[in-house]
Amino acid sequence: MSQLQLDYNAGQASQPCLGSSFLNPAAEFHVNSFPYDYVVIRDVFHEHIATALELVFEKVIAGGNSIGKVGEVGELIYDAINYTPTLWDLRNSPLGVFASPELRTFLAGLFDLQVDENMMIGMHRHQPPSKAGWPHTDFAVVSYPREPPNVGPFRFTYPGSPSHYSDDSRDRQPDAIKTARAIACLYYLGNDPDWRDGMGGETGIYCDRAATLLD
């Protein structure tokens, strides 16, 4: 199961917009407000865009590395291969769709949130049978390099960035731009058409810190 994760962060106000050259007007929406606001969208992109993204994913993930241990406390192991797109990838391939102001406007309006110019992308592949993860939230303070926007109007982390997006400390990396993750998006690509329950790869929604699985 393949996963493309995209994070948007807090800042400027935006409004939703469904008219788009890449968003599929026939997409199926499932809006939820418990235990927090989240939306499941099936077939969010036009088929030719989704196909182009799958081809890019298959090409670049071959150069990915194992994520392994996550964080500084405990033994949290994330059993996946990760590839962080380069600025070249975002400027010169179909991955540029994720640097679209149109997509940012749509997502920010969907959740009625203010967003700024800071974003990150991590491309993950989970090879079956990969180990299950652990309940967690992606809400965190994130560090970005104090540099001008580097892909259109946006500032992305990239391999070799002078600051690390997962550092949520106040005192380390004092020259970094500190911002809060506001929206975390999971895009599933290259899914096995023969997938069935029990094969793994699902995203679980938990309703409390006691890890009660909601869906």
Side-chain angles (χ1 to χ4, degrees), residues 2-208:
S2 303
Q3 172 182 306
L4 179 62
Q5 177 169 318
L6 178 64
D7 293 331
Y8 287 77
N9 299 286
Q12 298 176 348
S14 300
Q15 296 297 324
C17 175
L18 283 173
S20 169
S21 59
F22 50 83
L23 291 174
N24 179 9
E28 180 182 332
F29 285 70
H30 298 271
V31 181
N32 304 272
S33 59
F34 177 82
Y36 47 80
D37 293 339
Y38 69 96
V39 180
V40 177
I41 309 176
R42 297 185 183 276
D43 301 321
V44 64
F45 295 124
H46 284 297
E47 185 176 357
H48 69 284
I49 297 295
T51 299
L53 290 171
E54 288 182 5
L55 292 174
V56 170
F57 179 87
E58 293 297 335
K59 179 180 179 180
V60 301
I61 199 65
N65 299 301
S66 176
I67 294 178
K69 189 175 185 300
V70 177
E72 300 176 357
V73 179
E75 294 298 327
L76 302 179
I77 305 299
Y78 193 68
D79 190 15
I81 301 298
N82 173 71
Y83 176 81
T84 300
T86 66
L87 298 182
W88 189 95
D89 293 328
L90 293 167
R91 293 168 180 161
N92 298 280
S93 82
L95 293 177
V97 69
F98 297 110
S100 164
E102 196 172 26
L103 181 60
R104 182 187 69 163
T105 296
F106 166 69
L107 290 170
L110 193 63
F111 290 97
D112 193 23
L113 288 175
Q114 296 182 337
V115 295
D116 65 17
E117 69 276 13
N118 297 299
M119 289 193 275
M120 66 81 59
I121 297 179
M123 306 177 78
H124 300 169
R125 163 158 283 165
H126 302 267
Q127 299 285 13
S130 61
K131 297 178 181 177
W134 59 94
H136 65 281
T137 173
D138 277 337
F139 182 76
V141 175
V142 183
S143 295
Y144 284 83
R146 192 170 291 281
E147 300 175 347
N150 47 34
V151 182
F154 304 112
R155 182 183 296 102
F156 283 84
T157 56
Y158 53 89
S161 292
S163 60
H164 195 270
Y165 81 92
S166 64
D167 174 19
D168 60 0
S169 65
R170 292 180 177 271
D171 53 343
R172 289 183 295 176
Q173 301 189 96
D175 294 329
I177 297 172
K178 302 285 186 176
T179 186
R181 269 184 184 164
I183 304 174
C185 301
L186 302 178
Y187 297 89
Y188 287 90
L189 302 171
N191 301 309
D192 186 343
D194 297 322
W195 183 93
R196 60 185 182 277
D197 288 345
M199 294 178 65
E202 303 99 325
T203 296
I205 302 297
Y206 292 83
C207 61
D208 55 41

